[in-house]
Amino acid sequence: MDAPQDEGAGLAGPVASVRRAAIGRDDTRRANRRWWDGYADDYQAEHGDFLRDTGFVWCPEGLDEADARLLGELDGATVLEVGCGAGQCGRWLRSRGVRTVGFDLSARQLWHSGRIDARTGLRLPVVQADAERLPFAAARFDAAFSAFGALPFVADATAVLTEVHRVLRPGGRFVFSVSHPVRWSFPDDPGPGGLTARDSYFDRSAYGELDASGTVVYAEHHRTLGDWVRSVTASGLLLTDLVEPEWPPGHDRVWGGWSPLRGRILPGTAIFVCDRPAPEGTAA
């Protein structure tokens, strides 16, 4: 699970300014590859215990696939993890006998995946790739998923969803989690300051961090709930559920802008459950 909005300010190098503006595909890809390579060590050190070497956590609220079963029945399935980071989720599936492969834009995140493979003795096959151009054959996978991986960090979410549709077999499922779009109206503050709306929900400008030369060093893109639904539909996928995890009692972990205080009042995560329709008259 990659970092939510604002999590890594300044960690990939000095940040001279922050702005909301249009950020194109190439600048987004270049900035986020470099940023994640620079932040991966700190990210895994800070969040690794929560994610677990072999664990499938959908979001900072702690929703676990072992309980939620959003991917459905996976016996005999081949599964793709989109934006796998260090592969914790995919490795959990592998531990249960599910054929799973992962990819990520960041070489350093994939290095950590290999490190955890060696420590656990459980190997997740991974490849470095761009989510907007998947290096996999059409109809290769029975299911795919992304736990805060790739989709918030690309300029064209529809392109990613279209690629996922292409590599899914008819009847296949794709589930992905992102920051809940309503959070973009509020400061990314886990305390009381994060409870007062500040920005327009309808401002689709990307969040960017820039160095002293004006080069974008981190980019994250905002879509409204309606934008996400339209992207899913445009890709050819069918939205079958939208899960907004509630903050569970007794969960006291603060993760960036996620906290018990905010979690009791505002949704922090949106999980989209999508299927690639099977042709009429065929079994899913």
Side-chain angles (χ1 to χ4, degrees):
M1 179 168 63
D2 288 342
Q5 179 185 352
D6 295 357
E7 175 80 15
L11 288 169
V15 173
S17 61
V18 172
R19 73 180 184 192
R20 293 287 297 275
I23 303 175
R25 178 181 293 187
D26 291 341
D27 286 343
T28 294
R29 182 185 304 113
R30 186 182 308 112
N32 286 338
R33 179 188 293 115
R34 179 184 176 190
W35 190 89
W36 277 106
D37 282 345
Y39 180 46
D41 292 358
D42 289 333
Y43 178 82
Q44 295 300 332
E46 182 176 359
H47 301 298
D49 287 346
F50 177 69
L51 298 175
R52 309 189 309 274
D53 288 349
T54 305
F56 196 144
V57 181
W58 280 108
C59 51
E61 290 87 350
L63 183 67
D64 200 299
E65 175 61 10
D67 302 316
R69 300 183 63 82
L70 298 179
L71 287 172
E73 181 56 60
L74 295 176
D75 283 352
T78 301
V79 179
L80 174 66
E81 181 171 7
V82 175
C84 66
Q88 287 95 338
C89 298
R91 196 173 294 104
W92 180 83
L93 290 175
R94 296 281 295 188
S95 74
R96 280 147 181 79
V98 180
R99 293 188 301 272
T100 310
V101 299
F103 77 87
D104 201 273
L105 186 66
S106 167
R108 190 62 179 178
Q109 285 279 59
L110 296 179
W111 180 88
H112 281 284
S113 182
R115 172 184 61 81
I116 298 173
D117 285 349
R119 185 165 69 199
T120 63
L122 186 63
R123 178 177 174 271
L124 174 71
V126 296
V127 63
Q128 186 176 13
D130 177 357
E132 294 176 84
R133 294 192 292 261
L134 297 183
F136 303 106
R140 174 69 179 82
F141 299 99
D142 300 293
F145 69 94
S146 183
F148 276 88
L151 282 156
F153 308 102
V154 296
D156 189 347
T158 304
V160 177
L161 293 166
T162 300
E163 277 290 88
V164 171
H165 176 280
R166 180 183 65 80
V167 302
L168 277 178
R169 297 187 177 109
R173 170 160 292 184
F174 179 47
V175 184
F176 66 95
S177 60
V178 296
S179 299
H180 198 289
V182 75
R183 282 290 181 97
W184 283 74
S185 293
F186 297 83
D188 208 38
D189 179 347
L195 297 177
T196 302
R198 180 188 63 191
D199 301 315
S200 171
Y201 172 76
F202 301 102
D203 179 2
R204 272 80 163 185
S205 301
Y207 169 86
E209 296 176 0
L210 289 72
D211 64 16
S213 70
T215 299
V216 177
V217 296
Y218 175 86
E220 189 169 345
H221 292 264
H222 170 49
R223 288 110 188 166
T224 67
L225 276 176
D227 293 338
W228 280 115
V229 171
R230 284 183 285 276
S231 285
V232 168
T233 301
S235 74
L237 295 169
L238 177 67
L239 181 65
T240 59
D241 197 5
L242 172 59
V243 179
E244 299 167 293
E246 296 186 39
W247 196 268
H251 182 41
D252 59 1
R253 179 183 176 84
V254 174
W255 179 326
W258 277 255
S259 67
L261 173 66
R262 295 184 83 201
R264 287 193 295 268
I265 299 170
L266 294 170
T269 298
I271 306 177
F272 295 81
V273 181
C274 315
D275 291 329
R276 175 176 174 175
E280 291 188 18
T282 64

